[in-house]
Amino acid sequence: MQTRRDFLKLAAMLSGASTISGFVPDSIQRAYAIEPEPGSTFLDAEHIVILMQENRSFDHAFGTLRGVRGFDDPRAVRLPNGNSVFVQTSQAGASYAPWRLDIRDSRITWMGSLPHSRNSQVDAWNEGRHDAWIDAKRSGKSEYADVPMTMGHYTREDLPFYYALADAFTVCDQHYCSVMTSTSPNRCFLWTGTIRDRQSVDSQVFIRNEEIDDGGMVWKTFPERLQEAGISWKSYQNELTRSPLTGERDAWLSNFGDNILECFTAYNVEAYPGFAAAAERWIAESSREIQKLEASIAAETSPSEAASLRTRLKAEQNRVENFRSALAQCGNERYQRLTGEQRALFHAAFVTNTDDPDYHTLQELQFDDAGTPRTMKVPRGDIFHQFRKDVEAGSLATVSWLTAPENFSDHPTSPWYGAWYVSEVMDILTKNPEVWKKTIFILTYDENDGYFDHAHSFVAADPKRPETGGASAGIDMGIEYTYVEDELAQGVERKYARSGPIGMGFRVPMIIASPWTRGGWVNSQLFDHTSSLMFVENFIERKYGKTVKEENISAWRRAVAGDLTSAFRRYDGREPDLDFLNRDRFVIGIEQAHYKEIPSNYWKLSAQEIDDINRGPQHSSFTSHQEPGTRPSCALPYELYAEGCPTSDGTQFELRLTAGNKVHGDNAAGAAFNVYLRNLKDAASGGFQSATYAVKAGDTLRPRFPLSLFGNAGYSIEVHAPNGFYRLFTGAPASPHLQIQTEYERKGAGLTGNILVRMHNTSTKPVNVTVAEASYRTDSKRKTLRPDETWSRRLHLRGSHGWYDFTVKTEATALRFAGRVETGRPSISDPLIAGAV
């Protein structure tokens, strides 16, 4: 059990430390000192521990971390208005760039959450424009409404533990939440792979918290599949949401509603001893809401609004009826009726700390805050009691999920105590070296809250609107899309109902800590919450020869999202060169920040400052930047190509989007390509259109765009894919046709790491072509191509570690190609981000 001294020591860590650069907690140093067996792989693990925390975007937490695709991303998208994505503008015309939230010297961690419901997420995304963050994510608290909190972020000084964890293990910088909405639907994806009650486009979509949290979910979950296959699993928390705890005890001691298995009928949470007290409380809440709705209906003059209110009223009445029905048979009476199989699910899903006599108890701590005596409440018991006991006894299951109480969940409605919780998990797992040698710990976040992230989402296209994208044959995009009518049928008010992709949502942090992910690496394969399920599938099949497949994961997600295996490396016995192993003292606790002023180090950007950012965000003093340096970068199973040119008749532009499988074979990954059309004639669209194409490994899609869509300046088409893959095609429709093909140079069965560019003049006139390096300091070449002549250029990329960025220009066209050649061997993160070029 942790002592009060332990808690205070760890709580002091949460808000940062002065001169932090050398800070590393004991648990991380201990994890690093425990060496796995040379030659071992992640398949030598025996335990997978998954912790999903709450509501932080990747940029918000790690945008300044060195070597990730953060605030110095050289290939960040441009907004439809031409500004850098890092310049977000409100409808009133006020523009803001990312700015630091000082967790020690401001009250930011006590200022609450930002909007993150379905409507606010879809509004910020804005049909792929990604430009409505300021208005969609404005704080609901009037005293903070003018603070652009959405653009706020932390640094290593603020989050020393998390940065140390990333520096010690592997951080995933292309990991997205599964759903463009709030907590519960995203947690459904982590535990079940879906938010549909059936895998059919006519099924019900549960895309808001309130549609899930009351329970009654009926589709099969992944833990049930584990149980059927005889794979051990447990889900730990101090106490359930269905408990008698309220107020401060609830915030410190229950699971914040984050164990979504409470909402699924298969687990019979009604048999839990605390269920009756929770149900009575929720009946009272709904009864008060029913009275308000009845009064609103009586006063409403609009028939459509009255109909919407009646739908909500019916939902609340059903809620009360369901809870009253459950109350009639709950607790021990319900438990005694469960079959053996049902009891096994019940006990594995709802592991609590009932053996700890203080698991429902708080205690008061007194401390001095610069001469002012203060007090705070903390748990008296050990909120890891049963998890700690199982680890110490060597009885940890094959798969474990952990769920934190609200105050330890990292949710912005609570002070940021979550680093202590994560630290304690690491401490428990590493105290016994034999346990840590066999453990994989996955830390992730359910969604971004209202905090800005610059990376555009890769989303499913609307099957009713071909202009929004497409997918390889066999992928039903309708499974991944939902409409206003679906929301209205669920009782959502019309003003909040939205049509849009189910996912993916926005980027959220993920760190994978294990003996096979050590060394401060970055992994840039596209992942979402279903990736964790696919990893467990892969692990179980390869280690135990058993098939456990989450059938709820759509073909679209399996095509574009990886299974995490690219994050792992065989342990070769070598120690990486690390620069963070010095220690520093922990200073300043979260509680003290409660009494600071609100953050104010932001400002409205002037036109000159916006222009300065647009000319070069990496060098502008008016926006945030990353720590200098690179980090080791995982080998990725991508073989991506995006090529295109006007058709021979000059009426259309044809793109060729390919996810190849010749280099990586069976391990080859499919990909999502975001395509942006600019300079369109259509003023209503702002001259901009976004689309996403999902391409299976081994497949090519060939979307065509009428050149008549574009204005007099000619066509402008951009393509983005994971890990900085980028293509730009600009030109006049009547320009001479130049076919360009990129190839990854081969040597024997492998790749050299160089790229070949083949240019073929298909016109009847000579074309002057210049191939010029744009970023990584390789040479430029110029040549005049005769009609039907082909010219090949080899770009040597050893000096840039496989990264490339070059242009091909003629008198009337300009094309740009950027990315990294994936040879199957590790590399380093983009040196252009580090300013190392």
Side-chain angles (χ1 to χ4, degrees):
M1 179 186 301
Q2 75 268 25
T3 65
R4 296 201 305 180
R5 178 183 300 174
D6 293 331
F7 182 85
L8 288 177
K9 178 182 72 173
L10 290 165
M13 166 186 71
L14 307 183
S15 64
S18 58
T19 61
I20 286 295
S21 60
F23 163 85
V24 175
D26 288 340
S27 59
I28 296 179
Q29 293 195 54
R30 186 163 58 243
Y32 229 90
I34 299 170
E35 297 185 10
E37 295 298 323
S40 64
T41 71
F42 74 89
L43 293 175
D44 292 294
E46 296 180 7
H47 314 295
I48 299 170
V49 178
I50 302 171
L51 169 59
M52 176 177 273
Q53 292 287 75
E54 281 270 4
N55 292 41
R56 304 287 176 171
S57 82
F58 187 88
D59 275 347
H60 172 69
F62 287 127
T64 64
L65 181 68
R66 68 179 172 91
V68 299
R69 205 153 288 279
F71 293 134
D72 287 327
D73 185 351
R75 287 183 280 281
V77 298
R78 291 181 299 121
L79 299 179
N81 63 8
N83 285 343
S84 164
V85 69
F86 295 115
V87 176
Q88 290 288 321
T89 304
S90 70
Q91 292 179 359
S95 298
Y96 301 93
W99 58 287
R100 181 191 170 195
L101 301 170
D102 192 319
I103 206 170
R104 297 174 296 138
D105 292 331
S106 76
R107 197 164 66 232
I108 182 59
T109 194
W110 297 88
M111 291 170 63
S113 185
L114 296 176
H116 52 279
S117 61
R118 170 65 172 174
N119 44 289
S120 75
Q121 301 284 52
V122 172
D123 290 350
W125 172 69
N126 194 19
E127 290 286 349
R129 293 174 175 82
H130 208 77
D131 61 357
W133 288 83
I134 301 297
D135 293 305
K137 302 300 184 179
R138 196 177 302 275
S139 174
K141 297 184 178 182
S142 58
E143 63 268 39
Y144 306 142
D146 293 329
V147 180
M149 288 169 59
T150 182
M151 303 302 291
H153 66 85
Y154 294 107
T155 68
R156 183 180 296 271
E157 287 185 90
D158 305 302
L159 305 176
F161 177 83
Y162 291 108
Y163 275 63
L165 195 66
D167 282 348
F169 297 104
T170 296
V171 60
C172 301
D173 71 350
Q174 298 278 261
H175 177 252
Y176 289 74
C177 66
S178 287
V179 200
M180 202 174 287
T181 186
S182 46
T183 288
S184 296
N186 276 291
R187 288 178 180 264
C188 276
F189 267 94
L190 180 72
W191 265 287
T192 78
T194 190
I195 52 171
R196 288 186 178 272
D197 58 2
R198 291 177 292 107
Q199 292 308 295
S200 171
V201 294
D202 61 352
S203 60
Q204 192 166 351
V205 182
F206 296 82
I207 205 163
R208 294 175 181 264
N209 286 354
E210 56 270 27
E211 297 163 2
I212 295 169
D213 291 348
D214 287 342
M217 303 298 102
V218 296
W219 64 89
K220 182 171 281 191
T221 65
F222 191 69
E224 290 174 82
R225 302 184 197 279
L226 293 176
Q227 191 100 334
E228 291 169 355
I231 303 296
S232 63
W233 68 276
K234 282 186 178 181
S235 184
Y236 296 88
Q237 56 263 292
N238 184 67
E239 178 58 289
L240 302 190
T241 301
R242 273 81 168 164
S243 79
L245 299 180
T246 59
E248 199 166 9
R249 286 201 305 156
D250 179 63
W252 281 109
L253 301 173
S254 74
N255 68 11
F256 199 29
D258 281 348
N259 180 354
I260 211 70
L261 301 182
E262 288 189 44
C263 302
F264 283 80
T265 58
Y267 294 91
N268 289 283
V269 71
E270 296 85 357
Y272 192 70
F275 177 84
E280 292 283 8
R281 186 169 67 250
W282 292 340
I283 287 172
E285 291 173 359
S286 280
S287 297
R288 291 191 291 271
E289 182 64 19
I290 286 170
Q291 292 178 349
K292 293 179 184 179
L293 286 169
E294 288 174 337
S296 296
I297 291 170
E300 183 57 62
T301 58
S302 166
S304 62
E305 289 299 322
S308 177
L309 289 170
R310 282 192 290 271
T311 301
R312 293 171 57 197
L313 174 63
K314 182 62 175 176
E316 288 294 338
Q317 291 170 334
N318 289 340
R319 186 173 191 252
V320 170
E321 183 179 341
N322 290 338
F323 277 124
R324 283 178 175 160
S325 176
L327 275 174
Q329 294 182 0
C330 67
N332 188 59
E333 180 183 354
R334 176 70 169 261
Y335 181 80
Q336 294 302 322
R337 296 183 180 184
L338 301 183
T339 66
E341 181 180 342
Q342 289 172 328
R343 290 186 184 187
L345 282 174
F346 175 87
H347 288 295
F350 307 135
V351 180
T352 61
N353 294 324
T354 54
D355 288 347
D356 183 343
D358 293 319
Y359 87 115
H360 275 187
T361 308
L362 299 179
Q363 63 181 353
E364 190 172 87
L365 294 179
Q366 299 179 350
F367 64 97
D368 179 82
D369 178 18
T372 301
R374 302 196 188 278
T375 62
M376 66 180 292
K377 295 288 184 66
V378 295
R380 180 183 293 276
D382 179 7
I383 61 171
F384 288 102
H385 175 80
Q386 191 58 51
F387 179 69
R388 191 188 308 270
K389 186 176 177 181
D390 286 352
V391 172
E392 290 174 350
S395 58
L396 197 61
T398 301
V399 184
S400 300
W401 285 271
L402 291 167
T403 306
E406 177 183 359
N407 280 356
F408 292 114
S409 72
D410 282 347
H411 195 288
T413 54
S414 305
W416 204 330
Y417 294 121
W420 173 82
Y421 190 90
V422 180
S423 169
E424 195 71 1
V425 174
M426 287 293 297
D427 191 56
I428 292 168
L429 291 173
T430 58
K431 275 187 174 177
N432 184 339
E434 295 308 310
V435 171
W436 181 247
K437 284 181 180 180
K438 299 180 290 187
T439 299
I440 295 166
F441 174 45
I442 299 173
L443 169 65
T444 186
Y445 288 74
D446 51 23
E447 37 102 349
N448 64 295
D449 199 79
Y451 286 102
F452 168 79
D453 189 88
H454 83 274
H456 276 207
S457 300
F458 295 97
V459 301
D462 182 354
K464 298 179 181 179
R465 295 184 296 155
E467 68 273 17
T468 65
S472 292
I475 295 177
D476 183 356
M477 295 179 295
I479 289 286
E480 292 287 349
Y481 219 87
T482 185
Y483 300 94
V484 165
E485 293 73 22
D486 301 321
E487 295 237 77
L488 295 177
Q490 293 273 66
V492 175
E493 291 184 68
R494 183 170 290 276
K495 64 181 178 180
Y496 297 127
R498 297 290 186 274
S499 294
I502 290 175
M504 299 176 182
F506 303 112
R507 279 196 313 172
V508 291
M510 171 180 271
I511 295 175
I512 304 177
S514 78
W516 307 279
T517 55
R518 306 190 318 166
W521 289 63
V522 60
N523 184 287
S524 299
Q525 188 175 359
L526 182 62
F527 300 138
D528 83 323
H529 297 325
T530 65
S531 297
S532 294
L533 296 183
M534 288 189 274
F535 174 71
V536 178
E537 290 176 349
N538 183 302
F539 177 83
I540 290 171
E541 182 170 1
R542 293 171 65 183
K543 186 175 181 70
Y544 300 112
K546 295 184 176 182
T547 299
V548 178
K549 184 174 182 180
E550 183 45 78
E551 296 175 3
N552 295 325
I553 300 175
S554 70
W556 180 81
R557 292 185 193 267
R558 288 194 182 272
V560 302
D563 64 3
L564 305 186
T565 55
S566 62
F568 295 86
R569 295 165 297 283
R570 181 183 299 273
Y571 179 63
D572 59 9
R574 293 180 295 178
E575 289 295 328
D577 181 19
L578 302 173
D579 60 2
F580 55 80
L581 294 178
N582 295 323
R583 293 228 16 158
D584 219 321
R585 302 183 66 180
F586 301 150
V587 296
I588 305 179
I590 285 286
E591 184 69 22
Q592 292 170 306
H594 196 171
Y595 309 98
K596 301 287 186 178
E597 298 296 321
I598 68 172
S600 58
N601 56 312
Y602 60 89
W603 68 94
K604 294 180 182 179
L605 296 170
S606 68
Q608 293 78 12
E609 290 167 339
I610 293 172
D611 184 61
D612 187 82
I613 294 173
N614 289 336
R615 286 199 307 270
Q618 288 180 287
H619 308 293
S620 174
S621 60
F622 303 116
T623 187
S624 297
H625 297 289
Q626 292 177 239
E627 303 165 333
T630 60
R631 63 179 55 231
S633 180
C634 297
L636 306 180
Y638 285 134
E639 182 189 350
L640 306 185
Y641 307 90
E643 291 146 354
C645 64
T647 54
S648 58
D649 62 5
T651 62
Q652 299 184 87
F653 189 97
E654 183 182 80
L655 269 179
R656 296 181 300 280
L657 305 173
T658 301
N661 61 356
K662 295 180 181 179
V663 174
H664 306 292
D666 292 341
N667 294 323
F673 295 86
N674 280 343
V675 176
Y676 304 111
L677 309 185
R678 300 183 186 274
N679 190 38
L680 300 181
K681 293 177 182 177
D682 180 16
S685 69
F688 176 89
Q689 182 177 302
S690 171
T692 301
Y693 295 88
V695 185
K696 290 180 180 179
D699 196 14
T700 297
L701 294 183
R702 292 178 171 82
R704 287 189 172 190
F705 308 102
L707 290 171
S708 59
L709 292 174
F710 299 92
N712 292 332
Y715 60 84
S716 178
I717 301 172
E718 288 181 291
V719 181
H720 287 262
N723 199 25
F725 181 95
Y726 176 72
R727 301 292 188 262
L728 170 64
F729 306 92
T730 61
S735 60
H737 292 173
L738 183 69
Q739 290 184 349
I740 300 175
Q741 181 180 0
T742 56
E743 296 179 16
Y744 304 124
E745 185 183 51
R746 288 182 171 274
K747 184 177 181 180
L751 300 184
T752 66
N754 298 327
I755 196 166
L756 300 176
V757 188
R758 302 188 189 278
M759 292 149 282
H760 181 212
N761 180 7
T762 61
S763 72
T764 59
K765 299 178 180 179
V767 177
N768 294 317
V769 181
T770 301
V771 179
E773 223 304 307
S775 301
Y776 299 104
R777 297 181 181 174
T778 59
D779 59 345
S780 300
K781 293 290 184 181
R782 177 183 174 88
K783 184 177 176 63
T784 298
L785 291 182
R786 299 183 302 274
D788 202 36
E789 184 180 3
T790 297
W791 179 40
S792 296
R793 284 278 292 127
R794 175 187 290 106
L795 299 181
H796 295 276
L797 306 179
R798 175 176 293 183
S800 59
H801 302 274
W803 292 93
Y804 61 90
D805 187 356
F806 65 92
T807 60
V808 179
K809 294 183 179 180
T810 69
E811 293 90 339
T813 61
L815 296 85
R816 188 169 181 175
F817 300 78
R820 187 175 78 178
V821 178
E822 295 296 345
T823 64
R825 301 183 295 273
S827 182
I828 65 167
S829 59
D830 193 341
L832 201 59
I833 294 176
V837 178

